[in-house]
């Protein structure tokens, strides 16, 4: 029970219409108030999410065409892996024109069929390929970004990689590390723990640009490559 007056009997074992109507309006008002509070919290959450992805969206807009092109390449490679082709030396199927002479001499395997080719052992990809992306998050990236946009381009490159590889986790296992005066191997994305949502990917880019802004002076490029 909440606030509000108690229902009084009308003396006939029931309650008056006015009392029931008043209680009904009170209950409706409470439900509406709670619905408004939930909607306001959701709206606030969406606003914060939009603010959190603003930098990411700007970088994505700059490389959206490259993302589409790279995804086409990755998708075509995956389709090629599953592509069926003509396989010769079959006992049944379509007559192979290149084996007509062999057929005259009594050869039985003179047909060809559309099927997935046998991939030699050792050439089959059983595990995802490991890719490691090493990014420059040194202090100079932030210091000179206003002159040549180098930090912005680095962020765009990271966005392009993450967006392009999204959905290909079964083919590629990847990570992202950065190097600066603070160290040669600063992890931003771990192997097997890639960002799956836009907010998570935006957080990666934000952490990398922030790292450049607070990086100590120094160069660890050679150590990072090694």
């Amino acid at each position: 029970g909440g606030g509000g007056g108690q229902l009084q009997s009308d003396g006939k074992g029931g309650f008056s219409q006015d009392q029931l109507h008043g209680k009904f309006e009170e209950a409706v008002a409470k439900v509406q108030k709670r619905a408004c509070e939930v909607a306001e919290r959701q709206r606030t959450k969406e606003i914060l999410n939009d603010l959190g992805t603003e930098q990411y969206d700007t970088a994505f807009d700059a490389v959206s065409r490259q993302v589409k092109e790279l995804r086409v390449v990755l998708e075509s490679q995956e389709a090629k892996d599953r592509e069926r082709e003509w396989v010769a030396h079959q006992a049944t199927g379509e007559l192979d024109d290149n084996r007509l002479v062999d057929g005259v001499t009594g050869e039985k395997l003179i047909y060809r069929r559309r099927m997935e080719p046998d991939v030699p052992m050792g050439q089959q990809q059983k595990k995802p390929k490991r890719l490691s992306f090493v990014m420059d998050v040194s202090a100079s990236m932030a210091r000179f970004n206003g002159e040549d946009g180098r930090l912005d381009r680095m962020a765009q490159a990271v966005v392009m990689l993450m967006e392009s590889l999204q959905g290909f986790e079964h083919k590629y296992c990847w990570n992202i590390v950065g190097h600066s005066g603070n160290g040669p191997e600063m992890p931003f994305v771990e192997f097997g723990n890639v960002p799956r949502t836009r907010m998570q990917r935006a957080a990666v880019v934000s952490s990398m640009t922030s790292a450049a802004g607070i990086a100590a002076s120094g160069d660890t490029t050679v150590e990072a490559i090694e």
Side-chain angles (χ1 to χ4, degrees):
Q6 296 292 322
L7 285 175
Q8 301 295 325
S9 174
D10 60 1
K12 299 179 181 179
F15 304 98
S16 68
Q17 289 292 329
D18 290 341
Q19 287 178 320
L20 292 174
H21 184 69
K23 273 297 183 180
F24 176 75
E25 288 186 340
E26 182 181 341
V28 170
K30 287 182 180 179
V31 171
Q32 290 176 338
K33 181 180 178 181
R34 291 174 182 173
C36 289
E37 291 174 350
V38 171
E40 185 63 26
R41 286 197 296 267
Q42 182 63 29
R43 181 172 175 272
T44 301
K45 182 179 179 181
E46 291 174 355
I47 292 174
L48 292 175
N49 286 348
D50 290 341
L51 290 175
T53 61
E54 182 177 354
Q55 179 191 25
Y56 188 88
D57 293 339
T58 300
F60 177 78
D61 290 341
V63 295
S64 58
R65 180 175 61 83
Q66 288 83 353
V67 169
K68 293 178 181 177
E69 293 174 350
L70 186 51
R71 287 191 65 84
V72 168
V73 172
L74 295 174
E75 289 168 358
S76 63
Q77 178 59 45
E78 186 171 25
K80 183 178 180 181
D81 293 342
R82 300 193 302 265
E83 185 177 5
R84 299 173 64 179
E85 61 182 42
W86 287 110
V87 178
H89 304 286
Q90 302 297 308
T92 61
E94 182 177 313
L95 184 62
D96 189 347
D97 294 340
N98 296 323
R99 303 277 292 172
L100 292 178
V101 175
D102 296 328
V104 172
T105 60
E107 174 64 50
K108 302 298 183 181
L109 303 179
I110 59 172
Y111 300 93
R112 62 176 187 168
R113 297 171 59 190
R114 293 283 290 181
M115 55 192 303
E116 294 184 6
D118 291 331
V119 180
M121 291 298 295
Q123 296 184 17
Q124 299 176 343
Q125 182 181 343
K126 295 183 179 180
K127 296 182 179 181
K129 295 180 180 178
R130 289 170 65 89
L131 305 175
S132 186
F133 302 104
V134 183
M135 299 295 176
D136 187 352
V137 291
S138 59
S140 61
M141 294 291 286
R143 185 180 306 119
F144 299 111
N145 187 56
E147 298 180 13
D148 54 22
R150 61 182 67 181
L151 186 61
D152 293 337
R153 292 199 303 275
M154 184 275 292
Q156 292 166 9
V158 172
V159 170
M160 180 185 68
L161 291 171
M162 291 193 296
E163 288 288 341
S164 299
L165 290 169
Q166 185 69 15
F168 290 96
E169 289 79 9
H170 60 292
K171 295 287 290 185
Y172 305 99
C173 181
W174 53 276
N175 77 333
I176 297 178
V177 298
H179 65 86
S180 70
N182 292 346
E185 190 175 355
M186 304 164 58
F188 293 104
V189 176
E190 301 282 0
F191 282 115
N193 190 28
V194 299
R196 299 187 180 278
T197 68
R198 196 173 189 84
M199 279 295 294
Q200 290 174 343
R201 293 191 289 274
V204 171
V205 174
S206 178
S207 63
M208 296 182 73
T209 56
S210 297
I214 62 174
S217 60
D219 186 1
T220 59
T221 305
V222 176
E223 295 90 335
I225 295 174
E226 294 175 348

